[in-house]
Amino acid sequence: MRTVTGPAERIVVVGAGLSGLAAALHLAGRGRQVTVVEREPVPGGRTGRLDLGGYRIDTGPTVLTMPDLVDETLAAVGDSLAGRLDLVPVTPAYRARFADGSSLDVHSDPEAMTEAVRAFAGPSEADGYRRLREWLTRLYRTEFDRFVAANFDSPLALVTPHLARLVAMGAFGPLDRKIGRFLRDERLRRVFSFQSLYAGQSPQHALAVYAVIAYMDTVAGVFFPRGGLRALPAAAAAAAADAGVEFRYGTEVTALARSGTRVTAVETTGGSLPADAVVLTTELPAAYALLGRTPRRPVPLRPAPSAVVVHVGTRQRCDTAHHTILFGAAWRRTFSELITQGRLMTDPSLLVTRPTATDPALAPDGRDLLYVLAPAPNLRRGPVDWDRVGDAYADEVLGHVADRLLPGLGGSIEARHVVTPADWARQGMIAGTPFALAHTVAQTGPFRPRNLVRGTENVVLAGGSTAPGVGVPTALVSGRLAADRITGARVPAAGAVPVAAR
């Protein structure tokens, strides 16, 4: 594995999002002197926060999986998840509601889910679910540590016996077709393939290797920290500070000082910070601008679809699950509209999250908090004038929620905040999408933008647009991979169990 050259004692991490915090924790745990520079007054990055009329709103991700990765990250400095977060399992992980009026509670417990599938679609589908669960578990154990959570210097590094196992498992065929070998019921196939949208692909075009996301959701389980997802970066930052990491909030990076191919200092609005090595977790265009170099690629980078998010505080309590997926009838057409045509969904599928189902303290007494996510084309694919139509589209989205899930919702709203692709773009996100680059074949594994950039000896990239990709678990892994590029891969302690074996 290639690593940065020369001395690497003083490290500057640019950005206090999850990847930057993970990098800082791993580097500090390996004895490096670490300074984190963050333009916002608090840590979090995409895991943002907003307080509105007594409602404590998470403006970024709402689904937390793989808490062992959080524990592993904190353990880098001798800390632990149990000592920093009050993490609650979300049961059911999701509630799926379909256009035909049927619904299914999705459980991570195998027996509960088998019985739920049997009652929903019959014994043959329950048997198919058990076989699918076994396949997802084998996929994860084969794939995660050796492919997702590993640095690659070239595509040739993929050629291992483990790659042959993945090929034999059908991991490089279409996701939808692979799920269909286990489940015939179209509704069930959606439950185990909609996660491809997180990777910026339709189930028909995503590789089956991305079924690993379905493993994280439906097998490993979904969790929620009391205090909201904002509690995760707050806990990581507190553990890093206790380990000696210096944080400079409200500080912007203006330039990188160089001597030949080495960066010698990070110039900021608060002064110059000498550096032996730098971890950049900014959006990819901003990182390349600071480096003064954009690597050449045979095909242009393709951003993932975006989303409109409507945060709603209501005077009424809502009798819904923590996470509800409202599936529209036009499933295939929806992906075509979002990804190919660059149009708004004509028959929307929506994610409705009620964090107050698990932590009522996130809203004033007797109130509820809702987060409604509607996938939308990114700004490069769909030139929608969001500043003109954003509020009207939010009204339309909430109308669907009222019609299909929460009658009377509109009359109970007392707080509302809308985020559109234009707002994501103003935050610096490529093509106005919080989901970074799509996981196409040309943007997967060693074909994704590298975390080492040619022409610069001592700068490493981290975050959703580089290895391994988008999501809370992968952001944490990305930070560790960046640290490995600086110090060399850390050898696990004797007796330690790799994540994929747990």
Side-chain angles (χ1 to χ4, degrees), residues 210-499:
Y210 285 110
V212 71
I213 308 175
Y215 169 89
M216 295 177 183
D217 284 357
T218 66
V219 178
V222 175
F223 299 82
F224 190 74
R226 294 200 186 278
L229 261 291
R230 67 173 71 184
L232 175 56
D242 287 350
V245 174
E246 178 186 0
F247 285 85
R248 299 200 178 187
Y249 293 111
T251 303
E252 291 200 42
V253 172
T254 56
L256 301 177
R258 304 176 68 106
S259 177
T261 57
R262 293 189 67 82
V263 170
T264 57
V266 176
E267 306 296 338
T268 79
T269 52
S272 182
L273 298 172
D276 296 325
V278 176
V279 178
L280 289 179
T281 72
T282 60
E283 292 293 316
L284 207 58
Y288 289 156
L290 286 170
L291 291 169
R293 177 184 178 86
T294 300
R296 294 180 180 178
R297 291 180 60 88
V299 293
L301 293 172
R302 186 177 127 187
S306 185
V308 173
V309 177
V310 188
H311 302 279
V312 170
T314 73
R315 290 187 298 272
Q316 70 178 37
R317 296 307 300 264
C318 304
D319 184 19
T320 64
H322 188 116
H323 295 295
T324 301
I325 307 169
L326 298 178
F327 286 105
W331 185 237
R332 287 175 179 263
R333 188 177 75 209
T334 290
F335 284 98
S336 175
E337 288 169 342
L338 291 172
I339 297 172
T340 305
Q341 301 172 44
R343 297 175 50 201
L344 297 177
M345 297 178 290
T346 53
D347 180 16
S349 290
L350 308 169
L351 170 64
V352 181
T353 293
R354 182 168 70 99
T356 38
T358 301
D359 187 356
L362 296 174
D365 287 344
R367 265 60 169 177
D368 246 333
L369 177 61
L370 300 174
Y371 165 112
V372 182
L373 184 146
N378 65 52
L379 296 182
R380 189 174 297 176
R381 178 62 66 181
V384 179
D385 185 352
W386 285 108
D387 290 331
R388 182 177 63 83
V389 306
D391 281 335
Y393 187 65
D395 290 340
E396 181 180 330
V397 167
L398 292 178
H400 284 288
V401 175
D403 291 341
R404 294 155 61 182
L405 182 65
L406 293 169
L409 173 63
S412 70
I413 294 173
E414 65 178 8
R416 172 171 135 158
H417 179 71
V418 180
V419 187
T420 72
D423 297 312
W424 301 123
R426 281 188 278 268
Q427 295 177 42
M429 298 181 192
I430 185 170
T433 174
F435 303 112
L437 299 179
H439 286 260
T440 61
V441 173
Q443 294 176 174
T444 291
F447 304 107
R448 203 162 180 81
R450 305 280 179 86
N451 55 9
L452 290 179
V453 180
R454 293 185 185 277
T456 304
E457 295 179 27
N458 61 335
V459 175
V460 187
L461 306 184
S465 289
T466 186
V470 179
V472 171
T474 43
L476 297 173
V477 170
S478 179
R480 196 264 294 166
L481 294 179
D484 290 350
R485 288 292 194 184
I486 292 172
T487 69
R490 183 184 176 201
V491 178
V497 180
V499 169

Side-chain angles (χ1 to χ4, degrees), residues 7-20:
E9 295 304 313
R10 298 172 301 175
I11 317 297
V12 176
V13 177
V14 179
L18 293 179
S19 60

Side-chain angles (χ1 to χ4, degrees), residues 24-151:
L25 284 161
H26 283 286
L27 290 165
R30 301 174 197 182
R32 270 45 178 193
Q33 176 186 331
V34 183
T35 301
V36 177
V37 181
E38 169 57 50
R39 66 182 179 183
E40 299 297 328
V42 292
R46 276 179 166 81
T47 312
R49 60 179 73 178
L50 172 70
D51 294 331
L52 183 65
Y55 293 93
R56 301 173 64 196
I57 297 170
D58 287 325
T59 60
T62 62
V63 178
L64 176 61
T65 61
M66 306 299 292
D68 53 338
L69 289 175
V70 179
D71 203 26
E72 179 183 274
T73 303
L74 294 171
V77 293
D79 217 311
S80 70
L81 186 154
R84 294 285 179 179
L85 286 170
D86 181 5
L87 208 59
V88 182
V90 174
T91 305
Y94 297 101
R95 178 168 293 152
R97 293 176 64 98
F98 301 93
D100 64 2
S102 61
S103 67
L104 173 71
D105 281 359
V106 179
H107 300 278
S108 56
D109 176 79
E111 299 308 321
M113 188 59 184
T114 299
E115 291 309 309
V117 172
R118 180 175 286 112
F120 181 76
S124 64
E125 292 296 88
D127 291 342
Y129 159 72
R130 294 302 290 254
R131 290 185 290 107
L132 172 60
R133 184 186 177 96
E134 179 186 352
W135 181 82
L136 289 172
T137 302
R138 285 194 295 115
L139 176 72
Y140 173 77
R141 290 176 175 169
T142 304
E143 173 187 351
F144 194 83
D145 287 329
R146 299 173 185 88
F147 294 94
V148 176
N151 276 312

